[in-house]
Amino acid sequence: MTDLPDTNLVMLTLVKPEGELEVFFERRPMPTPKPHEVLVKVQATPINPSDLGLLFGGADMSTARASTRDGLPVITADVPPPGMRAMSGRIGEALPIGNEGSGVVVAAGDSPEAQALLGKTVAMLGGEIYAEYRCLPVGMCLPLPDGTDPADGASCFVNPLTSQAFVETMRMEGHSAIVHTAAASNLGQMLVKICAADGVPLVNIVRSEAQVKLLKDLGAEHIVNSSDDDFQDKLIAAIVETGATLGFDAIGGGKLAGQILAAMEVAAVKRMATYSRYGSDTFKQVYIYGALDLGPTILNRSFGLTWSLSGFLLTPFLQKAGAEVVGRLRQRVVDELTTTFKSHYSHDISLTEALDLEVAHAYNAKRTGEKYLIRPNGS
């Protein structure tokens, strides 16, 4: 610890009672690892949609304005009444940000498990990673092979484990194929590779011809463009061919989840031998796991009565799956880190650049193909 700085620069987000959100930096005392903990010098951490939900929450970013405090950038934005109600539980509490990242263990507690990681490159999960250093339990670290590029280790958890969790959920719940929206995302590209390797039929929904080409080049077989006039007909045809009865929707708002259920119902009715006024008895499940559209989820109830629409979050899934499954998923990430689970970043930024107002507007736009990587201690 003698060669470390005395303080650690940490990014925080705060909702104020007067209806403002403020994102700022704070220099905190450098933490000392407890016996079961390690201190990691953060080398790379991605900006995921889940991070943005905490970072800016329900703020109206069209009102965002820049300032400085102690020579460091600050972003302030107004929060409309619905946003204040949604974030009532965090008013007045400055929260650290950053779900995952990678770095080098520079100090370790006394336990053998912690000491074994000293000097190693690890991936981290557990929040508070938009910082120069992160102190966390050994169990929240994933040791990476020697020589791993920090950029390859930065996104080891959220997207790799979520994409695998989709396939595990399919198996656990007795489905045989999957429909996935926003399928050209980093997560979507991983899912294409997993399903191809595991022989799982996958229907990919994208919104542009450029994204169609991207997934075709990866070897995806079933790709449907939601911008096409005959989108619903093509979606039905793909679901008829694959037999998909399980969907994962990253969009959240709008009509897409309902359109998927409706297409599944049409496909199921085609397989029925006799008519039923209640629709098919085929169970159809769509999980919403993202919020690229913050508007209401609209359901035009045209899919019978045997269906479910619910939310999906990685952490509860991992808790339910158990240690053996989680260990297997984590090992696959390590084994296929630079192939199946390689993430692609369009921009590298420093920790303080993340609160440059122009940069913040760019990554908060959540454009497909644009993923930002923060390097808190340089490249």
Side-chain angles (χ1 to χ4, degrees), residues 125 158 161-162 165-166 168-169 172-173 287-289 310-323 325-326 329:
L125 181 69
V158 176
L161 292 183
T162 301
F166 291 171
E168 291 293 323
T169 299
M172 290 176 181
E173 297 185 358
Y287 288 106
I288 292 176
Y289 76 95
S310 51
F312 183 92
L313 194 60
L314 177 62
T315 302
F317 167 83
L318 296 177
Q319 292 169 344
K320 179 181 177 181
V325 171
V326 173
L329 302 187

Side-chain angles (χ1 to χ4, degrees), residues 12-72:
L12 301 164
T13 175
L14 171 67
V15 177
K16 298 180 177 180
E18 58 268 31
E20 279 187 349
L21 177 138
E22 185 177 86
V23 189
F24 60 98
F25 289 104
E26 184 174 285
R27 290 203 174 275
R28 294 182 166 182
M30 185 64 68
T32 300
K34 296 176 183 176
H36 63 288
E37 293 179 336
V38 293
L39 181 68
V40 181
K41 184 175 183 178
V42 183
Q43 294 180 314
T45 174
I47 301 178
N48 291 320
S50 54
D51 298 310
L52 292 172
L54 179 61
L55 187 64
F56 298 127
D60 177 1
M61 289 303 289
S62 69
T63 69
R65 48 214 179 262
S67 61
T68 59
R69 182 182 302 150
D70 298 327
L72 295 165

Side-chain angles (χ1 to χ4, degrees), residues 105-172:
V105 177
V106 294
D110 295 335
S111 71
E113 295 81 6
Q115 285 293 312
L117 292 180
L118 195 57
K120 299 288 188 181
T121 299
V122 297
M124 300 170 281
L125 181 69
E128 306 181 31
I129 299 176
Y130 289 1
E132 291 174 330
Y133 294 83
R134 174 68 164 99
C135 189
L136 73 174
V138 170
M140 300 178 83
C141 295
L142 179 65
L144 300 174
D146 292 342
T148 297
D149 187 322
D152 288 331
S155 297
C156 273
F157 282 101
V158 176
N159 286 346
L161 292 183
T162 301
S163 53
Q164 290 188 83
F166 291 171
V167 177
E168 291 293 323
T169 299
M170 180 200 76
R171 293 173 177 141
M172 290 176 181

Side-chain angles (χ1 to χ4, degrees), residues 292-313:
L292 295 177
D293 183 338
L294 297 173
T297 303
I298 301 168
L299 299 179
N300 179 7
R301 300 248 324 258
S302 58
F303 30 81
L305 293 170
T306 313
W307 58 275
S308 177
L309 177 68
S310 51
F312 183 92
L313 194 60

Side-chain angles (χ1 to χ4, degrees), residues 181 231-232 235 249 251-262 286 293 295-300 303 309:
T181 73
F231 162 65
Q232 192 68 14
L235 179 60
D249 178 28
I251 309 300
K255 300 178 180 180
L256 191 52
Q259 289 176 301
I260 294 168
L261 287 168
V286 172
D293 183 338
T297 303
I298 301 168
L299 299 179
N300 179 7
F303 30 81
L309 177 68

Side-chain angles (χ1 to χ4, degrees), residues 64-271:
R65 48 214 179 262
S67 61
T68 59
R69 182 182 302 150
D70 298 327
L72 295 165
V74 177
I75 291 178
T76 306
D78 298 334
V79 183
M84 291 298 291
R85 288 193 292 270
M87 297 190 293
S88 60
R90 55 174 284 195
I91 293 174
E93 183 179 0
L95 301 173
I97 315 150
N99 282 324
E100 63 179 338
S102 67
V104 175
V105 177
V106 294
D110 295 335
S111 71
E113 295 81 6
Q115 285 293 312
L117 292 180
L118 195 57
K120 299 288 188 181
T121 299
V122 297
M124 300 170 281
L125 181 69
E128 306 181 31
I129 299 176
Y130 289 1
E132 291 174 330
Y133 294 83
R134 174 68 164 99
C135 189
L136 73 174
V138 170
M140 300 178 83
C141 295
L142 179 65
L144 300 174
D146 292 342
T148 297
D149 187 322
D152 288 331
S155 297
C156 273
F157 282 101
V158 176
N159 286 346
L161 292 183
T162 301
S163 53
Q164 290 188 83
F166 291 171
V167 177
E168 291 293 323
T169 299
M170 180 200 76
R171 293 173 177 141
M172 290 176 181
E173 297 185 358
H175 302 276
S176 60
I178 296 171
V179 178
H180 184 224
T181 73
S185 65
N186 269 280
L187 187 154
Q189 293 176 50
M190 292 177 189
L191 187 60
V192 167
K193 296 173 187 176
I194 292 168
C195 289
D198 293 5
V200 175
L202 175 66
V203 178
N204 301 276
I205 298 178
V206 297
R207 60 181 179 180
S208 72
E209 282 304 314
Q211 293 172 359
V212 170
K213 183 181 184 307
L214 172 66
L215 294 190
K216 278 185 177 178
D217 290 345
L218 284 179
E221 185 176 354
H222 305 283
I223 311 168
V224 187
N225 186 349
S226 61
S227 299
D228 289 345
D229 292 338
D230 57 351
F231 162 65
Q232 192 68 14
D233 291 338
K234 289 180 177 177
L235 179 60
I236 291 169
I239 291 176
V240 167
E241 186 172 349
T242 59
T245 51
L246 176 65
F248 291 93
D249 178 28
I251 309 300
K255 300 178 180 180
L256 191 52
Q259 289 176 301
I260 294 168
L261 287 168
M264 289 176 176
E265 175 67 3
V266 171
V269 167
K270 288 179 180 292
R271 297 190 295 269

